[in-house]
Amino acid sequence: MEGGIPRAAAEELDAADPLAGFRDRFVITDPELIYLDGNSLGRLPAATPDRLREVVEEGWGEGLVRSWQGWIDWGARLGDRLAEHVLGARPGEVVISDSTSVNLYKLAGAALDAAPGRGTVLMDAEDFPTDRYILQGLTAQRGLRLRRLASALDGGLDLDVLRSALDQDVALVVLSLVSYRSGALLDMAKVNELARAAGTRVLWDLSHAAGAVPVDLAATGAELAVGCTYKYLNGGPGSPAFLYVRGELQAELRQPVWGWFGQREQFRMGPDYDPVPGIERFLVSTPPLLSLAAIDPALALVEEAGMARIRAKGLLLGRLVDDLADAWLAPLGFRPASPRPPERRGSHVSLYHRDAWRICQTLAADAKVVCDYRVPDRLRIGPSPLYTRFTEVWDALARLRQVAAGRAYASRPTGLARVT
Amino acid sequence: MEGGIPRAAAEELDAADPLAGFRDRFVITDPELIYLDGNSLGRLPAATPDRLREVVEEGWGEGLVRSWQGWIDWGARLGDRLAEHVLGARPGEVVISDSTSVNLYKLAGAALDAAPGRGTVLMDAEDFPTDRYILQGLTAQRGLRLRRLASALDGGLDLDVLRSALDQDVALVVLSLVSYRSGALLDMAKVNELARAAGTRVLWDLSHAAGAVPVDLAATGAELAVGCTYKYLNGGPGSPAFLYVRGELQAELRQPVWGWFGQREQFRMGPDYDPVPGIERFLVSTPPLLSLAAIDPALALVEEAGMARIRAKGLLLGRLVDDLADAWLAPLGFRPASPRPPERRGSHVSLYHRDAWRICQTLAADAKVVCDYRVPDRLRIGPSPLYTRFTEVWDALARLRQVAAGRAYASRPTGLARVT
């Protein structure tokens, strides 16, 4: 496989990569397999199985119910670490809890109840399905209007479109910092400022941003956020999500799901719900401890690498994808479906191809490259800076070129991927 | 330690116990420790660590995102097994999802939306805190009245009290089949019948019943239920909960948290929420897979033992607790806080003592007996038929008698237990 960029260029990038050593901190059972779907499910950190065994055998098996003494605030402690190293928030502003969808429901519900008299929720029409459905449900139940803003062709929401939609009726704006489809990265500070000027709030979904791009919730004046821990944070399948509420705002918001983990002096079991003033008021119930525990060693890797180095490598990986796509894939019917340059997006890149589904399937089955597909015609390529090598990107795109050129994929049935 | 019942009687019960062999199917690291808190967190099944290692190392580590093909309906498959072996429900009526609190919120919300024009929710004033708080939140948000019915002294809700409260304004009745405090067991068929006669529905919380008493949701005409998998089902700390919706009712109910796991053809990611007609419409999002996986081997033990044998042994264990409490503890200031005979309750028993907190703490610290405490003055004793021996109950109550008689506990500070 030859082309505009020699493999030696990728080899040089690997040689100069300050994060190269982190790859060995992950379980990689098949070195032939190129995994470019860390934006869906991050790889297994090598430290995780032992940590889980400890929690299961010593914590649960030996400690039994007594272990809850040490477990009960684990979600808050992990939240503080996320706040410091990943999200740019202050202690007591982030907590791990439930799923991203449930957290979105709780925080959007709280924000809407705190904005009486305003009747519109704004969102990106291209946002992730669960965000759209959750907001449809909340607005339908409250008799509010959900206005879905159209994104630009490359998947980025035009701030002028947002600005012109921000009127006095807007109760809440819900946006993903990084688009799940195109990878488009918004300007958090500017969006927060626009919303503030219109007297409203933004609830950020950071699922595809956390662990991929530096986030500074404090400095950008962000008030509300939720996000996922199993993508670039490598917390494991379905690991519980995080939520952020700016400190100054916590006491005035009340979320709709009044569970006992939000209760002041929880084990007094008092007759009436009386939520703690802090971030725990946004909790509901006993966390799924084994899934929570897996976040701990995963987060340690991100902390050690640091978001600045992760982002720097992510940009170089993204640039390599762009350059190879231009050289090898454009002639085969692929078109960019993400903004450029890489500074304008998160860590994943999308490409249009009318046969994206069949190419994606063939690539996995015949060429040992796992990336993913999004309806109707997009291939998502998600290098993850902690474990993806530059040579893997080069090899993956070379194999993709071969698959797309060979056209053997055309004999595959069409269908739908089942990935989360 | 002597008294009305010789230890030999407990030894005979162990010798005749058809479930005795199941104890070896659990991890028991310290045979001296007597664990009577399976009603809070069940023990670790011996098969669970290997099963988890497989899911983590092969499923996540090796299979990566592709493993979701086999995982995505795991909650429904476990739900079908629970339905058949534990809950007496039909296939497609039970699914594992979220926490008990979130499931209660979803199903109560769905039921209230389906009962327009009715303004009252009935519940037991003594029900578990999170149930009370969740319903406070839901009724407050909808402008409904929450009426809390007083329980009898032994913790059982008097059906005459319920009957007289059931008028045409009742939109929903929420009750625990087994009370978390007293263990009182309600008559599910009769309660369902009373509610039906009043044109309303019952939402059952089965958290302290599932795996302790046989439940027959189909035969008793139950329509809605939720419950916990980490107590008598031994699913592990915070393992996700279950929910049940009677088949005939599913399509007409719509829950308030519109997540993408409820969506028809989920991966088409269509613009508008359009829930599947079946039980999955009550799902929200990606389940915490590691915590979900631990339910699998745990449930296999309950299936193998069978609920009839589990209940038969549970009754004998309960009778032994009653008899020993009468002989040894009544003279020391303990009074029953649970109904009698054991047929009138689940698997746990509560005792009043004004120093219950300090006695519970001393018992664990000095006498290696773990049971638990509930405010303000109750000791909960929860033998779990799959792994508790009759001689353990005898020994535990003998140690409890000694601790209570010795009065060394009086020098302990007072405080609050942190157990879930």
Side-chain angles (χ1 to χ4, degrees):
Chain A
M1 190 61 58
E2 77 303 330
I5 299 147
R7 193 172 191 276
E11 286 164 11
E12 275 169 36
L13 285 165
D14 278 331
D17 173 13
L19 299 183
F22 278 88
R23 182 177 168 90
D24 295 334
R25 311 280 289 279
F26 290 85
V27 170
I28 294 177
T29 53
D30 178 0
E32 291 281 292
L33 182 87
I34 302 177
Y35 189 61
L36 296 175
D37 207 0
N39 51 312
S40 238
L41 174 65
R43 276 191 182 274
L44 170 63
T48 299
D50 281 350
R51 185 79 180 94
L52 277 172
R53 191 173 308 126
E54 188 185 299
V55 169
V56 170
E57 297 186 9
E58 293 169 30
W60 174 12
E62 202 173 319
L64 294 158
V65 73
R66 299 166 296 185
S67 295
W68 273 111
Q69 297 276 357
W71 288 338
I72 201 159
D73 63 350
W74 206 352
R77 284 184 280 120
L78 288 169
D80 280 346
R81 287 168 54 191
L82 259 181
E84 181 179 351
H85 299 281
V86 177
L87 301 177
R90 293 166 294 178
E93 293 188 324
V94 177
V95 72
I96 306 281
S97 160
D98 298 307
S99 63
T100 307
S101 300
V102 169
N103 287 338
L104 192 80
Y105 181 86
K106 292 186 295 187
L107 296 197
L112 292 178
D113 290 343
R118 288 178 171 241
T120 300
V121 173
L122 296 183
M123 76 175 311
D124 180 345
E126 302 286 320
D127 211 341
F128 192 74
T130 210
D131 297 51
R132 293 188 270 115
Y133 305 152
I134 291 282
L135 293 173
Q136 275 193 320
L138 277 169
T139 50
Q141 193 183 34
R142 284 168 168 75
L144 307 176
R145 184 169 74 121
L146 179 61
R147 191 166 159 204
R148 297 178 250 196
L149 305 174
S151 281
L153 266 184
D154 66 5
L157 180 69
D158 189 326
L159 290 195
D160 288 332
V161 171
L162 176 63
R163 188 181 288 110
S164 69
L166 275 167
D167 60 29
Q168 295 302 308
D169 193 52
V170 174
L172 182 67
V173 181
V174 180
L175 291 170
S176 286
L177 181 59
V178 171
S179 160
Y180 84 103
R181 302 186 83 188
S182 67
L185 171 67
L186 289 177
D187 182 334
M188 183 179 267
K190 196 165 284 177
V191 170
N192 287 337
E193 192 191 310
L194 288 175
R196 200 163 35 243
T200 190
R201 296 204 161 98
V202 185
L203 166 48
W204 290 99
D205 184 339
L206 305 177
S207 292
H208 288 77
V213 299
V215 176
D216 196 337
L217 293 168
T220 59
E223 295 191 305
L224 301 164
V226 298
C228 167
T229 63
Y230 53 75
K231 298 177 184 295
Y232 296 101
L233 297 174
N234 311 303
S239 56
F242 63 83
L243 64 83
Y244 156 85
V245 180
R246 194 171 190 85
E248 294 78 359
L249 203 63
Q250 290 172 5
E252 72 179 88
L253 292 187
R254 180 169 277 207
Q255 55 105 345
V257 191
W258 296 8
W260 72 315
F261 267 60
Q263 176 76 355
R264 207 187 291 262
E265 297 191 273
Q266 173 182 6
F267 290 96
R268 286 217 179 275
M269 301 186 162
D272 294 308
Y273 184 66
D274 174 21
V276 295
I279 190 73
E280 289 87 355
R281 74 200 272 118
F282 302 98
L283 295 178
V284 177
S285 190
T286 317
L289 211 277
L290 308 185
S291 285
L292 183 74
I295 299 173
D296 195 329
L299 187 52
L301 294 177
V302 174
E303 290 168 342
E304 190 182 331
M307 282 309 307
R309 292 200 297 174
I310 289 172
R311 178 57 170 167
K313 180 173 175 186
L315 292 173
L316 292 174
L317 287 162
R319 189 168 309 269
L320 183 60
V321 173
D322 289 350
D323 292 346
L324 292 169
D326 288 347
W328 294 343
L329 303 178
L332 295 169
F334 288 90
R335 286 178 298 123
S338 297
R340 290 189 177 186
E343 285 75 7
R344 289 186 54 214
R345 51 182 203 245
S347 201
H348 67 276
V349 189
S350 289
L351 297 168
Y352 291 109
H353 192 290
R354 59 173 195 174
D355 279 320
W357 163 255
R358 295 194 282 190
I359 290 173
C360 182
Q361 295 300 298
T362 308
L363 199 57
D366 301 346
K368 297 194 106 169
V369 176
V370 174
C371 51
D372 74 10
Y373 162 81
R374 283 298 179 240
V375 281
D377 55 8
R378 289 172 205 206
L379 199 67
R380 280 199 313 185
I381 296 172
S384 189
L386 279 180
Y387 50 76
T388 305
R389 289 187 177 137
F390 293 94
T391 42
E392 284 186 300
V393 167
W394 197 96
D395 292 343
L397 269 76
R399 296 184 202 172
L400 171 54
R401 177 193 193 182
Q402 202 160 33
V403 164
R407 298 202 51 80
Y409 68 82
S411 61
R412 292 207 153 246
T414 55
L416 268 181
R418 282 184 138 185
V419 286
T420 55
Chain B
M1 188 63 57
E2 78 301 332
I5 299 146
R7 193 171 191 277
E11 288 164 8
E12 276 169 35
L13 286 164
D14 279 332
D17 173 15
L19 299 183
F22 278 88
R23 181 178 169 88
D24 296 334
R25 313 279 289 278
F26 290 85
V27 170
I28 294 178
T29 53
D30 178 1
E32 289 282 290
L33 182 88
I34 302 177
Y35 190 61
L36 296 175
D37 207 1
N39 50 313
S40 240
L41 174 65
R43 277 190 182 276
L44 170 63
T48 300
D50 282 350
R51 185 81 179 93
L52 277 171
R53 191 173 309 126
E54 189 185 298
V55 170
V56 170
E57 297 184 9
E58 292 169 30
W60 175 13
E62 202 172 320
L64 294 158
V65 74
R66 299 166 295 185
S67 295
W68 273 111
Q69 297 276 0
W71 288 339
I72 202 159
D73 63 349
W74 207 351
R77 284 184 280 122
L78 288 169
D80 280 346
R81 286 168 55 190
L82 259 181
E84 180 178 353
H85 299 281
V86 177
L87 300 177
R90 293 166 294 177
E93 293 189 323
V94 177
V95 72
I96 306 280
S97 160
D98 298 308
S99 63
T100 307
S101 300
V102 168
N103 287 339
L104 192 79
Y105 181 86
K106 291 186 295 188
L107 296 197
L112 292 178
D113 289 343
R118 290 178 170 240
T120 301
V121 174
L122 296 183
M123 75 175 312
D124 180 346
E126 303 286 320
D127 211 341
F128 192 73
T130 210
D131 297 50
R132 293 188 270 113
Y133 306 153
I134 291 283
L135 293 173
Q136 276 193 319
L138 277 169
T139 51
Q141 193 183 33
R142 284 167 167 76
L144 307 175
R145 184 168 74 123
L146 179 60
R147 189 165 161 205
R148 296 179 251 197
L149 305 175
S151 280
L153 266 184
D154 67 4
L157 180 70
D158 189 327
L159 290 195
D160 287 333
V161 171
L162 176 63
R163 188 180 289 110
S164 69
L166 275 167
D167 60 31
Q168 294 304 308
D169 193 52
V170 174
L172 182 66
V173 181
V174 180
L175 291 170
S176 286
L177 181 59
V178 171
S179 160
Y180 84 103
R181 304 186 82 188
S182 68
L185 171 68
L186 289 176
D187 183 333
M188 183 178 267
K190 195 165 285 175
V191 169
N192 287 337
E193 192 190 313
L194 288 175
R196 201 165 33 244
T200 189
R201 297 205 160 98
V202 186
L203 167 49
W204 290 99
D205 184 340
L206 305 177
S207 292
H208 289 79
V213 300
V215 175
D216 197 336
L217 292 168
T220 59
E223 296 190 305
L224 302 165
V226 298
C228 168
T229 62
Y230 53 74
K231 299 177 183 295
Y232 295 102
L233 298 174
N234 311 303
S239 55
F242 63 84
L243 64 82
Y244 156 85
V245 179
R246 194 172 191 86
E248 294 78 0
L249 203 62
Q250 290 172 4
E252 72 181 88
L253 293 186
R254 180 169 276 209
Q255 55 105 348
V257 191
W258 296 8
W260 73 314
F261 267 61
Q263 176 76 354
R264 208 186 291 260
E265 296 192 275
Q266 173 182 6
F267 290 96
R268 285 216 181 274
M269 302 186 161
D272 294 308
Y273 184 67
D274 173 24
V276 295
I279 190 73
E280 288 87 355
R281 73 199 273 114
F282 302 98
L283 296 178
V284 177
S285 191
T286 318
L289 210 278
L290 308 186
S291 285
L292 184 75
I295 298 173
D296 195 329
L299 188 52
L301 293 177
V302 174
E303 289 167 342
E304 189 182 332
M307 282 310 307
R309 292 198 298 173
I310 288 172
R311 177 57 170 168
K313 180 173 174 185
L315 292 173
L316 291 174
L317 287 162
R319 190 169 307 271
L320 184 60
V321 173
D322 288 351
D323 292 346
L324 291 170
D326 288 347
W328 295 344
L329 302 178
L332 295 170
F334 288 90
R335 284 178 300 124
S338 296
R340 290 190 177 185
E343 285 75 6
R344 291 188 52 216
R345 50 181 205 247
S347 201
H348 68 276
V349 188
S350 289
L351 297 168
Y352 290 110
H353 192 289
R354 60 174 191 170
D355 279 319
W357 163 256
R358 294 195 283 191
I359 290 172
C360 182
Q361 294 300 297
T362 308
L363 198 58
D366 301 347
K368 296 193 107 170
V369 176
V370 174
C371 52
D372 76 9
Y373 161 83
R374 282 297 179 242
V375 283
D377 54 8
R378 289 172 206 206
L379 199 67
R380 279 200 312 186
I381 296 172
S384 189
L386 279 180
Y387 50 76
T388 305
R389 288 186 177 139
F390 293 94
T391 41
E392 284 188 299
V393 167
W394 197 97
D395 291 343
L397 269 77
R399 295 184 205 174
L400 171 55
R401 175 194 195 184
Q402 203 161 32
V403 164
R407 299 201 50 78
Y409 68 80
S411 61
R412 290 207 156 249
T414 54
L416 270 181
R418 282 182 138 185
V419 286
T420 56

